[in-house]
């Protein structure tokens, strides 16, 4: 199974990606996670990405195309993969099509999760992350704040730089401006299916699998 998963920030794309990756036994390739790891490790890639990510902008296409090409050419992704966060622009989509041709891949599916933008702002601007174990909490449902101790390990909770409201709005603007044409690109190729991402996690997961018309063995 080869899936390209799309959706605006805050739609729960990462959560769905992890579920699908487990159910279909395919590696979850998140370009956002790869970049965050590079930033944390202080690599050359991390230094390029750091400032751009903090402002909610996009890392240059040639950089992203190179990272994804390397990943999809490795044996770990030969039997399938779930791509999360790529392609985000038309040049990235075109580069991926060219890469798929080289790798003789044409049996991929494109899934788009949809949600109201104001719900995204509400969800993300209240999100807190534990810097130590990566656990996610909500200021609203967990009644925690920035610097509250992580309920699991006691470390001070932080807000991701790009979860500040102005950065969220910029990420939504960037998503609309750049990713909408990418969805159209795949729709024109008969590849795209869309799913309501505002429902409960399990409901969204079932809807995706129903639309993929596959019974995943969990
Ligand atoms: P995400 O976790 O997918 O929301 O990605 C976090 C940030 O990483 C984005 O806001 C971008 O700055 C950067 N990023 C991730 N994937 C890409 C991509 N395919 N192209 C450009 N920038 C990306």
């Amino acid at each position: 199974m080869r899936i390209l998963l799309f959706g605006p920030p805050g739609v729960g794309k990462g959560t769905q990606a992890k579920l699908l990756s487990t159910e279909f036994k395919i590696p979850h390739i998140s370009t956002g996670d790869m970049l965050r790891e590079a930033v944390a490790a202080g690599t050359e890639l991390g230094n390029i990405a750091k400032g751009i990510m903090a402002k909610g902008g996009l890392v240059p296409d040639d950089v992203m195309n190179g990272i994804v090409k390397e990943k999809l050419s490795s044996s770990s992704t030969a039997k399938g993969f779930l791509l999360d966060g790529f392609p985000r622009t038309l040049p990235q989509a075109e580069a991926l099509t060219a890469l798929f041709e080289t790798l003789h891949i044409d049996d991929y599916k494109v899934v788009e999760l949809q949600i109201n933008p104001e719900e995204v702002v509400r969800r993300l601007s209240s999100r807190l992350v534990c810097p130590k174990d990566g656990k996610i909490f909500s200021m609203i449902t967990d009644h925690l704040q920035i610097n509250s101790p992580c309920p699991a390990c006691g470390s001070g909770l932080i807000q991701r730089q790009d979860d500040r409201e102005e950065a969220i709005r910029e990420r939504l603007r960037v998503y609309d401006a750049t990713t909408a044409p990418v969805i159209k690109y795949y729709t024109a190729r008969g590849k795209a299916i869309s799913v309501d991402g505002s429902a409960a996690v399990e409901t969204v997961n079932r809807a995706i699998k129903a639309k993929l018309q596959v019974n995943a063995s969990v």
Side-chain angles (χ1 to χ4, degrees):
M1 174 69 70
R2 297 179 178 93
I3 303 172
L4 313 188
L5 187 61
F6 289 90
V11 73
K13 183 163 52 76
T15 306
Q16 294 299 332
K18 284 190 183 73
L19 285 173
L20 295 168
S21 150
T22 307
E23 289 167 342
F24 290 115
K25 300 185 176 62
I26 48 177
H28 171 202
I29 301 164
S30 156
T31 47
D33 284 351
M34 288 163 79
L35 293 172
R36 277 185 287 279
E37 279 163 24
V39 171
T43 64
E44 194 185 334
L45 169 64
N47 292 336
I48 296 171
K50 192 173 180 179
I52 299 171
M53 290 174 76
K55 290 200 205 92
L58 288 180
V59 175
D61 288 334
D62 54 343
V63 175
M64 298 311 301
N65 292 344
I67 297 172
V68 170
K69 183 173 184 184
E70 191 183 322
K71 199 80 184 176
L72 295 192
S73 305
S74 85
S75 58
S76 65
T77 54
K79 291 199 176 127
F81 52 81
L82 184 149
L83 207 43
D84 166 5
F86 184 97
R88 258 183 164 88
T89 65
L90 267 186
Q92 290 182 12
E94 282 157 2
L96 189 62
T97 298
L99 178 63
F100 281 171
E101 274 164 22
T102 312
L103 299 172
H104 306 292
I105 291 173
D106 68 356
D107 61 339
Y108 61 95
K109 318 238 184 203
V110 176
V111 178
E112 186 200 16
L113 301 176
Q114 295 179 324
I115 191 168
N116 179 320
E118 287 312 309
E119 172 65 11
V120 168
V121 173
R122 198 187 70 86
R123 283 186 183 187
L124 287 191
S125 58
S126 62
R127 183 162 77 169
L128 295 166
V129 186
C130 173
K132 192 160 167 226
D133 52 32
K135 288 202 165 65
I136 306 277
F137 301 93
S138 161
M139 294 185 202
I140 300 169
T141 54
D142 297 313
H143 307 289
L144 295 165
Q145 295 164 352
I146 295 170
N147 285 330
S148 292
C150 168
C153 73
S155 305
L157 297 176
I158 57 167
Q159 182 175 48
R160 254 170 62 174
Q161 280 268 45
D162 54 356
D163 279 347
R164 285 172 296 114
E165 183 169 340
E166 68 213 72
I168 297 167
R169 292 199 184 274
E170 174 63 7
R171 286 161 73 196
L172 286 171
R173 193 194 60 73
V174 168
Y175 180 80
D176 271 348
T178 58
T179 312
V182 176
I183 302 291
K184 282 205 189 103
Y185 174 91
Y186 288 114
T187 305
R189 282 164 176 71
K191 290 283 188 191
I193 56 173
S194 61
V195 173
D196 175 11
S198 61
V201 170
E202 265 312 305
T203 310
V204 177
N205 176 255
R206 273 199 303 275
I208 295 174
K209 287 185 295 196
K211 290 217 175 172
L212 288 172
Q213 290 179 318
V214 184
N215 291 318
S217 53
V218 183

